[in-house]
């Protein structure tokens, strides 16, 4: 039987999605608060986070006030299940618990790393979660439902914003046009494509991508009405993931990082991890990315080890995961942190 007043919340780096949990069916349109880093933006909530970590707790508390008041309609929640970044420090977890237990009289809470939520959504208890959001890429191994934290995980700055910065540079050099960061993000989202096998450092890269782009230019209409024609350029955008130095970043690239993460895991686990690599996040949706990772990672594995990369399609995979987890928490209460536990031990519980 469903518990009363269960709430699912995805605390994303640029938005917060939430909904009351009424049944097992995930709502198509949860409520969403969009966060902005632009101090001059009016009518929008200022983002209290940087790289997913809260820096402005007064603003974060105000956001929790809004989420709880709109969802609970004046009442208190029995269970609040919410996501957090994998690298969330203990102090931040304690502060969140304090806000929910003491200010909002929540009875039970469940904190879940965003990577674990999306793996739950795709039904994978073992695999490699490759989360590519606007600010960073996180590569996280999971084994039998457990997130392997610490040195087994990798966080890098090559992701949505790095790609967008390189889009600005390429458009300036190749097309003689200046575009702002928001437009560059949109160009990457709608036009970027990944060359299937050839990296930027390949001697024949330009020849290969010219052949791929032949007679397939993409027209993009800029906000001022001008048209940007993208041919070879659209294949260059995504190369920042494989050679971050193109965007001025000191990092080895996604394929080398995947290999390094695999090597930090037990040899017995690697076959299952290679077969279950899951891409998710807004920066992961570029055409051809899954195939390129399959090809490049497969070059360095034993012949009898298959490499399979899957896409967690859609922008709501993390919310869908935390919603189903919240529903499960209503009947499997042994996993919850209770208000009684908090009352006995305080924030450090």
């Amino acid at each position: 039987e469903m518990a009363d007043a269960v709430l699912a919340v995805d605390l994303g780096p640029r938005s917060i999605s939430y909904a009351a949990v009424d049944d097992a069916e995930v709502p198509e349109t949860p409520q969403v608060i969009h966060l902005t880093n632009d101090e001059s933006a009016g009518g929008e909530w200022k983002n209290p986070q940087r790289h997913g970590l809260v820096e402005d707790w007064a603003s974060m508390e105000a956001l929790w006030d809004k989420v709880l008041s709109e969802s609970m309609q004046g009442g208190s929640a029995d269970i609040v299940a919410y996501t957090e970044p994998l690298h969330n420090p203990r102090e931040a977890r304690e502060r969140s618990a304090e806000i929910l237990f003491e200010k909002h009289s929540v009875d039970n809470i469940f904190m879940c790393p965003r990577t674990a939520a999306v793996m739950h959504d795709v039904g994978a208890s073992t695999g490699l979660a490759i989360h590519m959001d606007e600010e960073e890429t996180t590569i996280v191994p999971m084994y039998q439902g457990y997130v392997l934290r610490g040195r087994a995980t990798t966080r890098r700055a090559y992701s949505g914003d790095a790609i967008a910065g390189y889009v600005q540079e390429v458009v300036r050099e190749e097309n003689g046009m200046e575009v702002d960061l928001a437009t560059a993000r949109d160009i990457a989202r709608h036009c970027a494509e990944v060359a299937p096998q050839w990296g930027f450092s390949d001697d024949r890269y330009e020849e290969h991508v010219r052949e791929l782009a032949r007679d397939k230019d993409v027209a993009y209409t800029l906000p001022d009405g001008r048209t940007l024609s993208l041919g070879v350029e659209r294949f260059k955008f995504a190369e920042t993931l494989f050679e971050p130095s193109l965007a001025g970043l000191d990092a080895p690239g996604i394929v080398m990082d995947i290999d390094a993460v695999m090597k930090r895991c037990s040899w017995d686990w690697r076959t299952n991890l290679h077969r279950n690599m899951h891409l998710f996040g807004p920066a992961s949706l570029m055409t051809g990315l899954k195939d390129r990772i399959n090809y490049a990672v497969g070059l360095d594995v034993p012949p009898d080890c298959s490499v399979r990369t899957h896409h967690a399609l859609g922008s709501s995979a993390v919310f869908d995961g935390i919603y189903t987890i919240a529903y499960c928490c209503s009947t499997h209460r042994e996993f919850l942190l209770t208000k009684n536990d908090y009352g006995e031990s305080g924030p450090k519980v």
Side-chain angles (χ1 to χ4, degrees):
E1 183 179 345
M2 273 291 298
D4 294 330
V6 179
L7 180 63
V9 186
D10 173 32
L11 300 175
R14 300 279 174 88
S15 65
I16 296 175
S17 302
Y18 58 100
V21 179
D22 298 320
D23 52 42
E25 188 74 22
V26 179
E28 292 185 5
T29 54
Q31 293 178 276
V32 180
I33 302 172
H34 294 285
L35 308 175
T36 179
N37 294 322
D38 184 357
E39 294 294 333
S40 63
E44 293 187 64
W45 284 84
K46 302 300 183 293
N47 195 344
Q49 309 167 98
R50 179 176 173 79
H51 298 301
L53 301 181
V54 178
E55 293 185 342
D56 181 353
W57 277 101
S59 296
M60 189 69 237
E61 187 169 340
L63 283 164
W64 272 120
D65 292 347
K66 177 178 174 63
V67 168
L68 270 294
S69 63
E70 291 187 355
S71 303
M72 298 297 101
Q73 300 179 345
S76 60
D78 178 25
I79 299 172
V80 175
Y82 61 96
T83 62
E84 62 175 357
L86 184 70
H87 52 290
N88 205 26
R90 183 182 180 89
E91 294 78 10
R93 306 180 93 216
E94 292 171 358
R95 186 70 180 271
S96 295
E98 181 182 349
I99 292 170
L100 293 172
F101 283 133
E102 296 191 13
K103 183 173 184 179
H104 293 283
S105 300
V106 173
D107 292 325
N108 307 274
I109 63 174
F110 184 84
M111 307 176 192
C112 177
R114 299 189 81 230
T115 47
V118 77
M119 293 292 273
H120 183 86
D121 181 55
V122 300
S125 61
T126 295
L128 194 71
I130 306 169
H131 182 195
M132 306 172 68
D133 66 18
E134 295 92 340
E135 296 181 342
E136 63 183 15
T137 291
T138 309
I139 304 173
V140 183
M142 284 186 62
Y143 190 73
Q144 296 184 353
Y146 290 94
V147 174
L148 306 181
R149 298 173 183 262
R151 63 183 301 271
T153 67
T154 291
R155 294 168 55 210
R156 298 292 189 187
Y158 53 75
S159 202
D161 285 351
I163 295 170
Y166 190 54
V167 168
Q168 289 179 299
E169 181 181 334
V170 171
V171 169
R172 184 186 308 116
E173 293 179 355
E174 303 288 342
N175 302 85
M177 297 182 180
E178 296 288 342
V179 296
D180 60 25
L181 191 60
T183 301
R185 289 192 191 110
D186 198 59
I187 291 171
R189 187 177 303 115
H190 292 98
C191 304
E193 191 167 341
V194 182
Q197 298 180 5
W198 309 283
F200 199 78
S201 58
D202 191 304
D203 291 340
R204 299 178 61 195
Y205 175 80
E206 291 283 351
E207 177 186 339
H208 290 313
V209 294
R210 275 198 300 271
E211 185 64 30
L212 288 171
R214 189 184 304 278
D215 302 323
K216 295 180 183 178
D217 282 10
V218 173
Y220 179 88
T221 302
L222 296 168
D224 60 9
R226 292 179 298 166
T227 299
L228 184 63
S229 181
L230 298 169
V232 170
E233 300 94 331
R234 73 179 191 274
F235 289 95
K236 292 183 177 180
F237 300 152
E239 289 303 315
T240 52
L241 299 174
F242 303 93
E243 296 197 35
S245 59
L246 295 170
L249 300 174
D250 183 15
I254 190 167
V255 173
M256 294 181 67
D257 277 332
I258 289 172
D259 182 62
V261 168
M262 291 290 187
K263 288 177 178 175
R264 295 184 200 125
C265 297
S266 169
W267 179 267
D268 297 339
W269 301 350
R270 293 180 197 175
T271 297
N272 280 334
L273 294 176
H274 275 117
R275 288 176 179 169
N276 293 282
M277 298 192 297
H278 293 268
L279 289 168
F280 67 102
S284 73
L285 301 178
M286 290 176 289
T287 300
L289 179 59
K290 180 180 75 170
D291 294 336
R292 172 75 168 273
I293 289 178
N294 273 343
Y295 170 78
V297 173
L299 293 175
D300 292 320
V301 300
D304 59 343
C305 179
S306 60
V307 175
R308 298 174 191 163
T309 306
H310 312 271
H311 245 137
L313 295 177
S315 58
S316 63
V318 181
F319 174 77
D320 292 352
I322 194 61
Y323 185 95
T324 55
I325 288 171
Y327 180 79
C328 293
C329 284
S330 64
T331 54
H332 295 81
R333 304 176 72 90
E334 64 270 21
F335 300 112
L336 298 173
L337 176 61
T338 71
K339 193 172 185 178
N340 288 336
D341 295 332
Y342 179 84
E344 293 175 1
S345 304
K348 293 186 182 298
V349 66

